């Protein structure tokens, strides 16, 4: 049985544009994998705390030397990482807030980037340790950012690649707040992309 993990971050929950695009994709994907388990992590409804000095120190402390409070902090991070490792397919729904991913996504990234657990450095450079997972990222934004002026997608690619998520499909719907025409154009293009990613199978009579 396959597991799909959806990680969403819109302030508007399932009504958010990014969530709606991800949900559209998931509906089609589910039609092909009716037995699949869908796990949802909503970073807006249940934000991960900021990475404080105390939290980071807990990550650095050897397991046998951790206090119970430090162990509880590490357990939270471990369970986020376990959730990623247990997924076969990962779907991110990420709006642009103030020119990059929402701060809830940053805090989440801070908790899943763990040296020796999700990445390591070798003589050849960094190696991501969460491998072999197809990852879909749905990005929504009000304005339009051409390549070179986009501060969000390159960051997402760099971070996910760093922990090993390199098999990426990134679907960007932009210009969503620039009038009805711009919005309709962006959504139509995103819907077409989704249809191309998960064609609906025709059922033989
Ligand atoms: C707090 C906040 C900050 C935003 N900052 C930006 C921004 O920097 N650039 C932009 O193009 N749109 C910005 N927007 C518009 C959103 O990216 C746009 O409405 C997007 O569709 C929101 O996705 P969502 O519905 O999934 O939350 C912002 C919206 C909010 C609520």
């Amino acid at each position: 049985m396959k597991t799909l993990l959806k990680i969403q971050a819109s302030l508007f929950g399932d009504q958010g544009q990014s969530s709606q695009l991800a949900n559209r994709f998931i509906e089609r994907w589910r039609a092909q994998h009716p037995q699949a388990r869908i796990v949802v992590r909503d970073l807006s409804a249940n934000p991960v705390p900021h990475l404080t000095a105390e939290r980071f120190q807990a990550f650095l402390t050897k397991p046998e030397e951790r206090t119970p409070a430090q162990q509880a902090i590490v357990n939270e991070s471990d369970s986020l990482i376990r959730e990623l490792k247990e997924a076969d397919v990962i779907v991110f729904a990420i709006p642009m807030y103030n020119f990059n991913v929402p701060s809830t996504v940053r805090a989440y990234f801070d908790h899943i980037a763990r040296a020796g657990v999700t990445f390591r450095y070798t003589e050849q450079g960094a190696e991501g340790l969460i491998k072999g997972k197809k990852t879909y990222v749905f990005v929504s934004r009000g304005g339009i950012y051409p390549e070179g002026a986009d501060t969000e997608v390159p960051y997402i690619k760099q971070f996910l690649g760093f922990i090993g998520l390199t098999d990426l499909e990134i679907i960007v719907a932009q210009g969503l707040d620039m009038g009805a025409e711009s919005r309709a154009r962006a959504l139509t293009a995103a819907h077409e992309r989704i249809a191309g990613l998960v064609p609906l199978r025709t059922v033989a009579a």
Side-chain angles (χ1 to χ4, degrees):
M1 185 177 68
K2 283 194 181 239
T3 297
L4 180 150
L5 171 64
K6 176 176 71 158
I7 301 161
Q8 67 182 46
S10 173
L11 291 171
F12 309 103
D14 271 328
Q15 299 311 310
Q17 292 294 337
S18 50
S19 317
Q20 286 188 35
L21 290 173
N23 288 344
R24 189 181 181 98
F25 168 85
I26 291 168
E27 257 171 47
R28 294 176 77 107
W29 184 88
R30 199 180 216 164
Q32 297 188 351
H33 304 90
Q35 309 297 328
R37 194 166 70 101
I38 311 279
V39 177
V40 179
R41 176 158 295 279
D42 185 335
L43 296 174
S44 177
N46 297 297
V48 173
H50 267 296
L51 184 62
T52 57
E54 184 198 5
R55 286 186 162 261
F56 193 60
Q57 188 55 47
F59 295 165
L60 297 178
T61 305
K62 288 187 188 135
E64 61 277 14
E65 291 170 10
R66 287 177 197 146
T67 64
Q70 286 180 319
Q71 189 57 52
I73 288 169
V74 174
N75 289 348
E76 278 180 45
S77 163
D78 283 349
S79 73
L80 295 173
I81 292 168
R82 196 175 321 114
E83 194 173 65
L84 282 172
K85 287 190 168 166
E86 284 175 0
D88 301 289
V89 174
I90 302 170
V91 175
F92 284 94
I94 307 182
M96 175 185 269
Y97 292 158
N98 297 314
F99 305 103
N100 212 308
V101 301
S103 58
T104 50
V105 174
R106 277 299 302 264
Y108 172 77
F109 284 175
D110 285 343
H111 280 73
I112 60 167
R114 295 254 311 276
V117 182
T118 55
F119 72 90
R120 70 177 167 210
Y121 278 103
T122 68
E123 281 172 13
Q124 283 72 48
E127 182 191 2
L129 300 176
I130 303 190
K131 294 181 180 169
K133 302 196 187 281
K134 187 79 196 175
T135 304
Y136 299 86
V137 185
F138 294 88
V139 174
S140 58
R141 48 186 53 170
I144 293 182
Y145 301 84
E147 239 183 275
D150 184 351
T151 45
E152 186 182 27
V153 169
Y155 167 70
I156 293 171
K157 269 191 198 161
Q158 187 171 30
F159 178 81
L160 296 181
F162 182 67
I163 61 168
L165 300 176
T166 50
D167 189 358
L168 288 181
E169 298 285 349
I170 303 192
I171 301 89
V172 180
Q174 55 182 349
L176 294 176
D177 297 342
M178 293 172 57
E181 230 176 79
S182 172
R183 180 190 181 84
R185 205 169 31 243
L187 291 178
T188 302
H191 293 169
E192 280 171 5
R193 182 89 191 279
I194 291 168
L197 288 170
V198 203
L200 290 179
R201 276 188 207 139
T202 42
V203 181

